[in-house]
Amino acid sequence: MIRDVSLTYDKTAVIENLSMALKPQELGCILGPSGCGKSTLLRAIAGFQALNSGEIWLDNRLLASTSQAMPPETRGVGMVFQDIALFPHLTVAENIEFGLTDWTDVSRRERVAELLQLIGLPGLEARYPHELSGGQQQRVALARAMAPKPNLLLLDEPFSGLDTELRGRLASEIRTILKSDGICSLMVTHDQREAFDFADRIAVIHDGHICQFDTPYNLYHEPSSPFVAHFVGPGEMVDAVIAGPRSVDSPLGILTNDADLEFPTGTPVKLFLRPDDLIHDDASDYHATLVGKHFRGAHHLYEVRLDNGVVLGCFAPSHHNHSIGEAIGVTLDVEHLVVFPTH
């Protein structure tokens, strides 16, 4: 548990009165732009950064406050760093068992074998780091941090040096590994896809504060602020007016929500629409002009201009290869209306 923690980096305040808590065996993530204090917070939990205010607790033990701090090695916290930092002169097995100094030889061998099986690298215990791929090295670094069975595992942007496709795959794989071993974990990243692939709940941080701490689904479909809405995925704000308890009058007509909207009828609002809210449909009677297109493999991300001049994103299957300037049919697929005050 993090309670009212404030932190500085190079004498600049980066975290202010931040509080959050993870449940046992839960996988959490701190998501935010570069320079927002994510890694500084992780270092404070690990014991490498002093607190300006607040407290950090783990399993009913006070790890740190402004008046006391447990040494990092006694906290029961493991950490996987950005640079992986495997020892090049040690084998895979020797790297994994590095922190097991108090274990018997038999226990160390059993734990190494168990972890190699868990990370999908059985039989590679005698190899050296330079003989492994980047993804394999990352899994070995994870196994090394998991080996002592920490009460909490911290991951500091662990996939930052890998290519985009491998990063997404590893985030999902490591989630499965940690869930299998029952380890509570907290990762920091600036990558929304990594966060969604990895975490049960995500804390979006901006200007030193948590904007929203929620499930990936809720962050995407029910963001609490314009910053969260834009940060976790693409979308556009359009002008609208509250037409009733569950409806808005928008450039796309009257749209209805699945729950009451917290604005009086007649209130001007900003309606946030994602590309998956507007779907290309050749059979639709409503047409928009294609003004931009981006090939994404399985689909296109189209930019379409409505009759009133509003430009929105729109997904289309990639075999629907329309040309710029063409009028195409579009239809709405909106379940949650995301609306914010105009000010």
Side-chain angles (χ1 to χ4, degrees), residues 4 24 54 80 131 209 220 233 272 316 329 333 343:
D4 296 325
V80 179
E131 298 175 308
H209 301 278
Y220 189 82
F272 186 74
D333 183 19
H343 56 274

Side-chain angles (χ1 to χ4, degrees), residues 159-173:
F159 316 117
S160 58
L162 304 175
D163 64 76
T164 302
E165 189 62 34
L166 181 58
R167 288 164 67 169
R169 188 167 73 250
L170 267 180
S172 296
E173 289 177 359

Side-chain angles (χ1 to χ4, degrees), residues 316-332:
S318 61
H319 57 270
H320 287 236
N321 192 22
H322 293 284
S323 303
I324 300 294
E326 189 176 345
I328 64 172
V330 293
T331 187
L332 283 172

Side-chain angles (χ1 to χ4, degrees), residues 22-29 153 155 171-172 174-179 182-187 195 197-202 213:
L22 291 178
K23 302 172 185 176
Q25 302 184 15
E26 186 174 34
L27 303 185
C29 181
L153 181 63
L155 300 102
S172 296
I174 287 177
R175 171 185 170 83
T176 301
I177 291 168
L178 292 173
K179 285 292 187 182
I183 294 180
C184 181
S185 184
L186 181 63
M187 180 177 76
D197 284 337
F198 176 83
D200 299 315
R201 287 191 297 158
I202 300 168
F213 186 30

